[in-house]
Amino acid sequence: MASFDPTPADLFTFGLWTVGNPGRDPFGGPTRPVIDPCDIVEGLAKVGAYGVNFHDDDLVRFGSSAAERDRIVRDFKKALDDHGIVVPMATTNLFGQPIFKDGAFSSSDPRVRAFALAKTMRAMDMGVELGAKTYVFWGGREGTDTDACRDPRTALGWMRECMDFLCEYAVDQGYDLKFALEAKPNEPRGDIYLATTGHMLHFITTLARPEMVGVNPEVAHETMSGLSFVHGVAQAMEQGKLFHIDLNGQKIGRYDQDLRFGSEDLKQAFLLVRLLEGTAGGERYTGPRHFDAHAYRTEDRAGVWEFARGCMRTYKILAERARAFDADPEVQAIVKERKDATCDSLLGGYSAEKVKGLKALELDVEAIGVEGLGYERLDQILTEHLMGAR
Ligand code: GLT
Ligand code: MN
Ligand code: MN
């Protein structure tokens, strides 16, 4: 049996805020002590992770002096070197401080938008200094509790203005950095602008430098509103826009649970890993596999590392299951591409001749309508692979 123990070659990453989560929720305080970022790096190396990501404030407490910042960055760099951990992604906390209570880039107050830009540029500087190649934007509070407060079109305009500004800043500094936009439908606010990966993909096309910007979809965020995460990710991949991914577990219709990867809806997790690994033949996703999740509030430190191992092992087991599924001759027979010489010649690019051909086409519509497609069998085979019975 293959080893499912994670290694850095698997490109598994965690945020400082994930394994470092002290178990706070809206109804109760922390259940675990805060751990020093350097100790997190050491712990991640021990469990076989590849990298660590962070918000500016996760690493350098908000309000720290320049000297403190430099010391923290120096120590963190040393921990990264000592333990062979890299920083593939960084991001900005634009939601924690009271100044962001009405959003950051979409705030109606120009002082808040200016502060958000300055904070982000400083955070980008720090991320790049530590090696980040992807910069994530999760618009934590970019939304509303009441839409009476502003025209959403104005807010979108301000968000575009800020993204364009930051792209120029990255280019101006000569940073080798791509941006990845992360959607979430609601929470912490009632309605967040650009609620899904699909909204984000369109918004990107309206930016001044669309080639620099892609998406960072998160399992929990699409699943919360009952959408197919696999479809959202596939759309991003098909457009070459899957710049990063946040993996976790989530039940439909709940608050943002950020559970251990694969702990809910194993079948969707399987289909996601199958898509990312390209076992059905499509292009494979080659970026980091980031677990944006945290351990149950019931756990101590040992439970947190158990949680981290679980995320990675489940991913690897699902990848192995997906390979077995797609190599199964019975599966291949059901999903193989159908051919029809006449129809194939009439599909694809437009021509006047094809119009004629299509309109003249005589098909046995009734017979096609009653053909069985075998998807019940296919899905049962999937289930049996997933349960290890095949
Ligand atoms: C926060 C959020 C995540 C985002 C992080 C990046 S912060 O935990 O719920 O989904 O990816 O800002
Ligand atoms: Mn996320
Ligand atoms: Mn989440």
Side-chain angles (χ1 to χ4, degrees), residues 201 231-242 275:
L201 285 169
H231 289 192
V233 171
Q235 189 182 349
M237 287 177 92
E238 205 250 345
Q239 291 296 303
K241 286 295 186 192
L242 187 67
L275 177 73

Side-chain angles (χ1 to χ4, degrees), residues 17 138 182 216 218 221 246 248 258 290 292:
W17 70 94
W138 170 59
E182 178 175 343
N216 177 42
E218 175 175 315
H221 297 180
D246 278 359
N248 54 22
D258 294 333
H290 174 226
D292 187 5

Side-chain angles (χ1 to χ4, degrees), residues 64-288:
S64 300
S65 70
E68 271 174 294
R69 177 236 187 244
D70 291 349
R71 181 192 53 76
I72 294 168
V73 169
R74 202 176 48 238
D75 292 351
F76 193 64
K77 250 191 203 156
K78 180 166 184 310
L80 294 169
D81 290 347
D82 287 352
H83 299 288
I85 292 285
V86 300
V87 172
M89 177 272 257
T91 183
T92 327
N93 184 323
L94 293 173
F95 44 86
Q97 294 300 317
I99 186 172
F100 299 126
K101 62 183 183 285
D102 191 26
F105 301 152
S106 64
S107 163
S108 300
D109 186 337
R111 296 170 304 172
V112 177
R113 298 201 300 278
F115 181 71
L117 275 182
K119 188 174 195 287
T120 303
M121 288 188 287
R122 277 193 286 269
M124 283 166 65
D125 298 342
M126 185 163 75
V128 169
E129 190 179 336
L130 288 162
K133 295 274 184 285
T134 304
Y135 205 82
V136 162
F137 290 85
W138 170 59
R141 295 186 191 276
E142 311 290 15
T144 55
D145 309 306
T146 167
D147 275 316
C149 70
R150 72 186 143 255
D151 185 327
R153 292 170 294 188
T154 310
L156 289 171
W158 286 330
M159 289 170 80
R160 179 177 305 110
E161 197 177 88
C162 288
M163 290 312 305
D164 284 343
F165 191 98
L166 293 167
C167 283
E168 285 317 313
Y169 176 70
V171 171
D172 207 17
Q173 300 301 305
Y175 289 164
D176 173 20
L177 206 56
K178 309 177 289 187
F179 290 178
L181 310 186
E182 178 175 343
K184 182 168 166 180
N186 55 269
E187 198 205 282
R189 307 200 74 187
D191 289 291
I192 298 178
Y193 300 128
L194 302 170
T196 70
T197 297
H199 289 77
M200 286 298 184
L201 285 169
H202 174 263
F203 178 69
I204 291 167
T205 67
T206 71
L207 298 176
R209 291 183 183 270
E211 68 288 349
M212 272 183 72
V213 188
V215 290
N216 177 42
E218 175 175 315
V219 175
H221 297 180
E222 310 285 319
T223 309
M224 279 165 77
S225 42
L227 300 176
S228 163
F229 186 64
V230 170
H231 289 192
V233 171
Q235 189 182 349
M237 287 177 92
E238 205 250 345
Q239 291 296 303
K241 286 295 186 192
L242 187 67
F243 285 9
H244 200 263
I245 190 158
D246 278 359
L247 302 170
N248 54 22
Q250 174 74 30
K251 281 185 180 160
I252 287 181
R254 304 281 165 97
Y255 61 94
D256 188 16
Q257 294 177 294
D258 294 333
L259 299 167
R260 189 180 75 257
F261 180 62
S263 63
E264 298 294 336
D265 205 343
L266 256 189
K267 182 169 154 185
Q268 282 306 306
F270 167 88
L271 291 166
L272 174 65
V273 171
R274 180 183 186 226
L275 177 73
L276 295 174
E277 295 299 317
T279 61
E283 209 177 307
R284 182 169 181 267
Y285 166 72
T286 55

